[in-house]
Amino acid sequence: MAIPHPLGAKFERSLALSDIDRAAVDALPVTLESRRAGEGVLRAGDHPSRSFLILSGLLASSKAAMASGEVQITCFHLPGDMPDLQSLHLAVLDSDIRALTDCQLAFMAHQDLRRLCEQHPRLAGQLWRTTLVDAAIYREWVVNVGQRPAISRIAHVFCELMLRMEAAGLAQDKSCHLGLTQQHLSEATGLSPVHVNRTLQELRARGLISFGQGRLTILNWEALVEMGDFRADYLHLREPEAA
Amino acid sequence: MAIPHPLGAKFERSLALSDIDRAAVDALPVTLESRRAGEGVLRAGDHPSRSFLILSGLLASSKAAMASGEVQITCFHLPGDMPDLQSLHLAVLDSDIRALTDCQLAFMAHQDLRRLCEQHPRLAGQLWRTTLVDAAIYREWVVNVGQRPAISRIAHVFCELMLRMEAAGLAQDKSCHLGLTQQHLSEATGLSPVHVNRTLQELRARGLISFGQGRLTILNWEALVEMGDFRADYLHLREPEAA
DNA sequence: CGAGGTGTTGAACCGGTTCAACACCCGTGG
DNA sequence: CCACGGGTGTTGAACCGGTTCAACACCTCG
């Protein structure tokens, strides 16, 4: 294969593959698809028979709440993530997954992934681990929307996104392309769009960030971390293979 | 072994074990310990070398937020749960886990659990699955604290707890022993203790629940479900082994 | 040129917080 | 036996962070 297998690339970000493992991953069939900004990828209630890896673009998991139709984003998904990997073991999907920007996705059949996991426990463990990191992010989000005031919530989300973008190799100098709207931030933080707008102004006025035109730049990382009550431990970055 | 292995019992609640699998589980060494109400079991930052299964009692995962020392409970853990199973693949713990009531725990070494997973992919998949259900619960809690008004939040928590208690065989007629205080509910919902108190009165006045003296009874399930905007799909109960 | 998505502003309103006091229960020790 | 103390639950009243509604600005795209 001329182009490295996308799943292989994902694995190699965190551990060295044996030749056997690498061959197994390379043999795994992949279907490439793309989605336009705003399009749904999967809906709550679906029974997927395949999962996908994000090659480019920004996605979000969200759930509809109450009758009135509010939406809560529960997680952002960046390139290198597999937003519906859970469906490998949970028959029915409990969240919607939609593209926030145009994006490219690499689909893999559950059947193939299951065989890979059975025959390569090390890879299975690694995939399991990524779902555990997702869970840790959800936990932190419960704290974020449950306990923090508006300005901290937004600061926290920005801190998380920046570190994850860096880990994905998509940020330099605390600046990255990020096609998020204030509406998206509102859905992620549980704040009204109006209050998100005002809070962003406050963050800008304090010289902490610049945000808009599809770009986030953090001007004062330490201050933003402080403002967002942010501790990066829950992202479980650069934990060498737990053994 | 005269007493059935607690982990074997957990597995058999959701799938039939082959003789080989069952023998492997039965051979897995277990250490029993107990904790008193209020005691911590593990703290954020710990590097556990073993995980535990709850035999009896009620635990909670929680995280400290902000400097002022607020605490957010991110999940309740019931008998049959393994609250720190994540530490099998994540080196450092990102939440505190404490006993809310007196409880009995069965500890198993990571080393042994890893070997079990490597040699018995079916069991590995099942354990993986339970961590995915936990993640689904976290997602729903993000929605709960992010979007719902006080009365719905509390109603939702009660609906979830009742179904999980039923699934654990610990509830009959929508009534169960539940040693939760209003303080705990406050930490779980992100509401002030005072407002939890008033909201409970409202739920009682509407004839939906009775709650106190260590017991929760749901008097009108349908109405409570409606009030709590509750859809049980995220608990992934009685999904026959996804295969 | 018009339409729709996004961002911005002001002002009234409200759900939930905060603080402070008090009630109750149960276990402990004098 | 009662006194005491701490955890839990309850109540009232002032306060405030964030919501809501409504209007307007801006930009892009058809």
Side-chain angles (χ1 to χ4, degrees):
Chain A
M1 222 180 251
I3 303 167
H5 194 286
L7 187 58
K10 173 180 171 62
F11 282 132
E12 294 200 317
R13 225 167 293 136
S14 48
L15 79 175
L17 291 182
S18 72
D19 289 349
I20 296 172
D21 288 347
R22 148 162 302 284
V25 173
D26 283 342
L28 206 142
V30 164
T31 310
L32 298 183
E33 296 187 16
S34 55
R35 293 288 186 284
R36 309 304 305 267
E39 265 189 88
V41 180
L42 289 161
R43 290 227 298 261
D46 285 352
H47 291 61
S49 61
R50 52 182 198 166
S51 287
F52 66 91
L53 175 68
I54 304 176
L55 301 181
S56 69
L58 183 62
L59 305 247
S61 293
S62 59
K63 303 186 80 163
M66 309 301 289
S68 31
E70 287 98 347
V71 168
Q72 173 74 46
I73 290 178
T74 54
C75 198
F76 293 116
H77 303 289
L78 311 182
D81 292 346
M82 297 185 69
D84 73 332
L85 186 51
Q86 56 193 79
S87 61
L88 198 59
H89 291 291
L90 296 178
V92 36
L93 205 64
D94 55 56
S95 302
D96 300 323
I97 302 180
R98 73 197 141 111
L100 301 186
T101 67
D102 294 351
C103 56
Q104 272 220 312
L105 313 175
F107 285 86
M108 288 158 280
H110 282 171
Q111 203 178 338
D112 296 330
L113 286 169
R114 286 212 191 84
R115 190 174 322 113
L116 186 77
C117 287
E118 278 172 30
Q119 296 172 356
H120 304 268
R122 214 167 118 75
L123 300 182
Q126 200 59 22
L127 287 180
W128 186 353
R129 181 180 195 280
T130 70
T131 65
L132 292 172
V133 173
D134 288 343
I137 294 176
Y138 298 135
R139 278 194 289 276
E140 184 62 32
W141 279 45
V142 173
V143 178
N144 204 37
V145 288
Q147 298 292 342
R148 297 199 254 261
I151 196 166
S152 302
R153 280 191 217 184
I154 295 183
H156 194 282
V157 166
F158 283 152
C159 288
E160 174 185 312
L161 283 173
M162 186 56 68
L163 285 196
R164 292 175 61 197
M165 287 298 269
E166 283 179 354
L170 297 171
Q172 312 80 29
D173 303 325
K174 294 280 181 277
S175 180
C176 63
H177 175 78
L178 191 70
L180 271 188
T181 66
Q182 295 187 4
Q183 175 67 31
H184 295 145
L185 278 177
S186 154
E187 293 177 5
T189 55
L191 298 166
S192 67
V194 170
H195 203 59
V196 166
N197 182 291
R198 290 180 173 133
T199 307
L200 284 173
Q201 292 178 47
E202 174 76 17
L203 286 171
R204 286 190 274 247
R206 296 197 189 198
L208 301 187
I209 61 155
S210 128
F211 175 76
Q213 283 82 250
R215 173 156 290 273
L216 168 66
T217 305
I218 296 180
L219 303 172
N220 186 337
W221 173 253
E222 289 75 21
L224 193 69
V225 162
E226 166 83 15
M227 184 86 267
D229 184 37
F230 183 78
R231 269 142 299 147
D233 60 335
Y234 74 96
L235 291 174
H236 298 274
L237 299 169
R238 70 186 121 265
E239 263 178 20
E241 356 179 348
Chain B
M1 223 179 252
I3 303 166
H5 194 288
L7 188 56
K10 175 180 170 61
F11 281 132
E12 294 199 317
R13 226 167 293 136
S14 49
L15 79 174
L17 291 183
S18 71
D19 289 348
I20 296 172
D21 288 347
R22 149 162 301 285
V25 173
D26 283 341
L28 205 140
V30 164
T31 309
L32 298 184
E33 295 186 17
S34 54
R35 292 289 186 284
R36 310 305 303 269
E39 266 188 88
V41 180
L42 290 162
R43 290 226 297 262
D46 284 353
H47 290 61
S49 62
R50 52 182 198 165
S51 287
F52 66 91
L53 175 67
I54 304 175
L55 301 181
S56 68
L58 184 63
L59 304 247
S61 292
S62 59
K63 303 187 83 164
M66 309 302 289
S68 33
E70 288 99 348
V71 168
Q72 174 74 46
I73 291 179
T74 53
C75 196
F76 293 116
H77 302 290
L78 279 39
D81 293 345
M82 297 186 68
D84 73 333
L85 185 52
Q86 57 194 82
S87 61
L88 197 60
H89 291 290
L90 296 178
V92 37
L93 205 63
D94 55 57
S95 304
D96 300 322
I97 303 181
R98 71 196 143 112
L100 302 185
T101 67
D102 294 350
C103 56
Q104 273 220 311
L105 313 175
F107 285 85
M108 288 158 280
H110 282 171
Q111 203 178 338
D112 296 331
L113 286 169
R114 288 211 190 84
R115 189 172 326 114
L116 187 77
C117 286
E118 277 172 30
Q119 296 171 357
H120 303 270
R122 214 168 118 77
L123 299 183
Q126 200 60 23
L127 286 180
W128 187 351
R129 182 181 194 279
T130 72
T131 65
L132 293 172
V133 172
D134 288 343
I137 293 176
Y138 299 134
R139 278 195 290 275
E140 184 63 31
W141 278 45
V142 173
V143 178
N144 203 37
V145 292
Q147 298 292 342
R148 298 200 253 261
I151 196 167
S152 302
R153 278 190 219 186
I154 295 184
H156 194 281
V157 166
F158 283 153
C159 287
E160 173 185 313
L161 283 173
M162 185 55 71
L163 285 195
R164 291 176 60 196
M165 287 298 268
E166 283 178 354
L170 297 171
Q172 312 80 29
D173 303 325
K174 294 278 182 274
S175 180
C176 63
H177 175 78
L178 190 70
L180 270 189
T181 67
Q182 295 185 4
Q183 175 67 31
H184 294 145
L185 278 177
S186 154
E187 294 177 5
T189 54
L191 299 166
S192 68
V194 170
H195 203 60
V196 166
N197 181 291
R198 292 183 170 130
T199 308
L200 285 173
Q201 292 178 47
E202 175 76 18
L203 285 170
R204 286 191 274 247
R206 296 198 191 197
L208 301 187
I209 60 155
S210 128
F211 174 75
Q213 284 81 250
R215 175 156 288 274
L216 168 66
T217 305
I218 296 179
L219 304 170
N220 186 338
W221 173 254
E222 289 75 20
L224 193 70
V225 162
E226 165 83 14
M227 183 85 265
D229 185 35
F230 183 78
R231 268 141 299 148
D233 59 335
Y234 75 96
L235 291 174
H236 299 274
L237 298 169
R238 71 187 119 264
E239 263 179 18
E241 354 176 351

